[in-house]
Amino acid sequence: MGIRNALVSIFTRQDDLDLTSGSIARPLGILALPVIITNVIQTVYTLVDTFWLGQYGTASLAAITLAYPLAYFLLSVSFGLPVAGSIHVAQATGGEDYEGAAHAAAQTVTYGLISGALVGVLGFFFVDDVLTLYDITPEVHRFATAYLQIMSLGLPSTVGFVAFLSLMRGSGDTITPLPVMIGSITLNALLDPILIYGWGFVPELGIRGAAIATFTARSLAALVGFYLLFVSSRGLDAELRQFRPNLSWGRRLARTGLPTSVEQMGRGISINLLLVIVGTFSTAAVAGYGIGIRVISTIGFATVGISRAVETMTGQNIGAGKLDRAVTTNYRAAVIAFGSLTAIAILTWVTARPIVSLFTDEPATIRFGVSFLHWVVPTFGFIGVLRTFVGGFRGVGMTTVAAVIVLTTRGIIRLPISWFGAQAVGPSGVWISIAISNVVGAVLALAWFRLGSWRNNAIDTLDDASHEPADAVGSD
């Protein structure tokens, strides 16, 4: 009952949440917590599939391990559209232009589904060729192709569900998607063993069953999400005519969303390139790195929550013309993120060995895992600062700046230092490069924000909205 009452309390408080006046810390927390929980739940999708396919066979487990990064890459191509829609909805909501917010949401869903369908078709026909680049057995290749082809066909529903999450967040509501997410993962967990192993009249489908289970769960979640977003009293009151593709809106969404898609694709590429460098070390070093990354990723949920909350609050305050409050929101959130994550870092640093020992009892792996955490966790606070200001730039609509900061941090700073560090001192060189890039990224984001050039972009955004032709704002 305690957890339920807490969620109900947050739900109730979000009904009357005002992001453009009053306290800053309180709405930040109320917005961020459900996002953190939602991200945790999203990871369960992969864990459930991995668990059941791990029981089914080694080849299936290897195939799905290989398929996840490629599935993420396909999604990242369309990922910018939901982010762009969230920004426009937040700015319109902050300016109390609720018809404009509904139109932005409708156009985001329309173009998101179109984009998801186009990318999905390309993925369906080309994943087989892409997988030939990997040194894998014919059986793993066949399984991975089957999984990715089904996931490609389901890409429109995945993009649609991500759009629902993003657009609700842009309107200031991060709690409504929670029960939908919980229902979706529950359905996926129930369908997985039935479709993978077969049950009653349902045939044994193996890895195809896992893909179909995810496809089904996400499709139903997207439909429920669209109902909550456009029909229920908690959503945006969009009209059918607002869903008709509008070229002016298509250009706006592409202009805002393309940098985020590039950022996400670059992030995925940099992760894989770093793995190539780490893969040159011993198995124990690779395993220690894997454990360290899992620990860092759990902290990442908090930073993503803060970043998304800042994005929404910044967007709404820009829409309301309250530039000073938008500035204060970013600085206040950065201080909160740095302080709270540094406290977590101290605790993690002290308990690094027991934490790593939870995953393995191999002495060499423990040694490398502890070394990784001892170098990287002191920079937790800097990760929080980096993601806070990246969220702020997105809220203003400066997604190109956000992408440049992220790609510079990961590609220009982290990867070269990792390569040279690996040659010079071994695995510790990679750990050090991650720590350095986190610090430099935070300093770069803070310095860019302090320059104040984003203010001109915010003013231009408001001017563009006020002079936007009718067919781009409220009608076709």
Side-chain angles (χ1 to χ4, degrees):
M1 289 299 292
I3 296 176
R4 179 181 179 277
N5 289 338
L7 290 175
V8 169
S9 175
I10 295 173
F11 187 93
T12 303
R13 283 182 286 174
Q14 282 202 339
D15 286 342
D16 301 318
L17 198 60
D18 185 356
L19 306 184
T20 58
S21 64
S23 169
I24 289 177
R26 176 178 173 273
L28 265 175
I30 294 175
L31 284 174
L33 181 58
V35 174
I36 294 170
I37 297 173
T38 300
N39 276 277
V40 172
I41 294 173
Q42 281 182 312
T43 63
V44 179
Y45 265 114
T46 60
L47 292 177
V48 169
D49 286 351
T50 301
F51 172 79
W52 285 113
L53 288 174
Q55 306 298 312
Y56 188 75
T58 303
S60 294
L61 182 60
I64 202 170
T65 301
L66 189 68
Y68 277 142
L70 292 176
Y72 174 82
F73 184 83
L74 290 173
L75 176 61
S76 68
V77 177
S78 301
F79 187 82
L81 286 172
V83 172
S86 173
I87 293 168
H88 290 298
V89 167
Q91 292 178 352
T93 301
E96 297 184 355
D97 178 12
Y98 300 113
E99 182 180 359
H103 193 73
Q107 290 293 302
T108 300
V109 168
T110 295
Y111 280 104
L113 293 177
I114 293 173
S115 174
L118 291 175
V119 176
V121 169
L122 290 174
F124 181 86
F125 287 107
F126 287 105
V127 290
D128 186 33
D129 294 329
V130 172
L131 287 169
T132 59
L133 301 175
Y134 293 79
D135 184 19
I136 53 179
T137 66
E139 184 181 27
V140 172
H141 182 122
R142 185 173 69 255
F143 286 169
T145 299
Y147 182 86
L148 284 169
Q149 285 183 332
I150 295 173
M151 294 299 289
S152 295
L153 293 178
L155 195 60
S157 62
T158 301
V159 175
F161 184 58
V162 173
F164 159 64
L165 297 175
S166 299
L167 296 170
M168 290 298 293
R169 184 179 68 246
S171 70
D173 184 352
T174 57
I175 194 70
T176 296
L178 264 180
V180 182
M181 179 66 76
I182 293 172
S184 178
I185 185 59
T186 301
L187 178 60
N188 185 62
L190 291 173
L191 289 177
D192 255 346
I194 294 174
L195 296 178
I196 292 173
Y197 290 95
W199 184 67
F201 62 89
V202 179
E204 179 182 332
L205 298 174
I207 195 170
R208 292 181 179 84
I212 293 171
T214 300
F215 173 95
T216 303
R218 286 181 176 170
S219 296
L220 290 176
L223 291 175
V224 173
F226 291 159
Y227 172 82
L228 292 172
L229 182 60
F230 296 115
V231 180
S232 76
S233 59
R234 300 196 62 82
L236 303 167
D237 189 16
E239 301 176 8
L240 284 176
R241 62 181 176 81
Q242 294 177 312
F243 289 89
R244 191 162 64 242
N246 181 291
L247 292 179
S248 177
W249 261 107
R251 287 191 293 270
R252 290 180 68 182
L253 290 170
R255 190 166 57 245
T256 309
L258 182 59
T260 302
S261 290
V262 173
E263 173 195 328
Q264 293 299 317
M265 289 187 287
R267 188 189 297 269
I269 292 171
S270 69
I271 290 172
N272 282 282
L273 289 177
L274 193 63
L275 278 172
V276 171
I277 296 173
V278 174
T280 62
F281 302 135
S282 67
T283 301
V286 174
Y289 169 80
I291 293 172
I293 286 296
R294 283 180 174 82
V295 175
I296 299 297
S297 296
T298 60
I299 306 303
F301 292 136
T303 62
V304 169
I306 294 172
S307 180
R308 295 289 186 260
V310 170
E311 176 187 312
T312 299
M313 289 190 68
T314 301
Q316 289 207 12
N317 280 285
I318 292 298
K322 298 184 176 182
L323 303 187
D324 290 338
R325 181 175 169 84
V327 174
T328 304
T329 295
N330 279 261
Y331 285 133
R332 188 77 53 80
V335 171
I336 293 172
F338 185 84
S340 58
L341 290 170
T342 297
I344 294 174
I346 294 172
L347 179 62
T348 306
W349 196 94
V350 172
T351 59
R353 183 169 293 277
I355 289 174
V356 175
S357 298
L358 292 174
F359 296 88
T360 181
D361 56 4
E362 168 58 41
T365 300
I366 292 175
R367 186 175 70 256
F368 283 116
V370 171
S371 172
F372 177 95
L373 292 178
H374 279 171
W375 277 109
V376 177
V377 297
T379 65
F380 276 179
F382 293 94
I383 297 174
V385 171
L386 169 62
R387 292 201 172 180
T388 293
F389 288 116
V390 165
F393 281 120
R394 285 181 181 152
V396 177
M398 297 177 69
T399 50
T400 299
V401 172
V404 168
I405 292 172
V406 172
L407 295 179
T408 298
T409 300
R410 288 179 168 269
I412 298 178
I413 299 172
R414 181 175 297 180
L415 287 176
I417 296 178
S418 291
W419 189 85
F420 285 110
Q423 306 302 312
V425 297
S428 294
V430 177
W431 316 161
I432 294 170
S433 76
I434 295 174
I436 291 174
S437 65
N438 289 339
V439 175
V440 174
V443 172
L444 175 62
L446 173 60
W448 208 320
F449 192 83
R450 286 184 64 85
L451 285 175
S453 59
W454 63 269
R455 284 178 176 269
N456 294 329
N457 190 84
I459 294 171
D460 291 342
T461 297
L462 295 174
D463 288 342
D464 289 344
S466 63
H467 294 96
E468 197 72 39
D471 67 333
V473 177
S475 63
D476 290 303

